[in-house]
Amino acid sequence: MTLPPAPRPCASCPYRQDVPSGVWSEEEYAKLPAFDGPTYAQPARLFVCHQHDRGEERARVCAGWAGCHDMGESLGVRVALASGRITEETAEALVDYVSPVPLFASGAEAAAHGMREVEAPGVEAAEAIGKIRRVRSDLT
């Protein structure tokens, strides 16, 4: 069962406007624009917070994803609810979620920002990467 989003997007969330460019890999940023499209064209999965290992029991839906995209039109939310991967309460929390911090207006904007320095992350990005590596055991 995937938990609802945290009250605020994490400090390294790729959707946050104040997160430095280049924190995540190009592959991670490339996932974001796909959620901008119409419901039928979106990935049929949830976007889970990067602060948790893959498959971790306490994994939650990414708060930045929930705040950036229209969760009422999310194919991933619909499929997760229908398949029992989230509860109705979590689905409602996603639809009602409002981020307390500024987010990019779309996944495409977030991806463009993030990929700008992915080949050569700056000092702030390197510090964020170090913190993430200490929290995540599944990263290489």
Side-chain angles (χ1 to χ4, degrees), residues 28-120:
E28 290 302 308
Y29 290 119
K31 295 175 184 177
L32 308 182
F35 295 102
D36 292 342
T39 304
Y40 67 85
Q42 296 173 15
R45 61 180 168 74
L46 299 173
F47 195 77
V48 179
C49 178
H50 285 89
Q51 292 297 319
H52 299 283
D53 292 346
R54 287 180 186 87
E56 187 176 327
E57 284 186 28
R58 60 189 184 110
R60 2 174 110 253
V61 176
C62 172
W65 179 73
C68 177
H69 301 285
D70 181 352
M71 294 291 101
E73 297 297 322
S74 170
L75 181 59
V77 170
R78 293 175 186 189
V79 169
L81 182 60
S83 65
R85 289 197 321 268
I86 62 172
T87 64
E88 283 195 34
E89 292 79 18
T90 295
E92 289 173 15
L94 289 166
V95 169
D96 295 340
Y97 184 81
V98 176
S99 175
V101 297
L103 302 174
F104 289 102
S106 68
E109 283 185 22
H113 167 77
M115 286 198 275
R116 192 175 60 240
E117 294 180 16
V118 79
E119 294 296 322

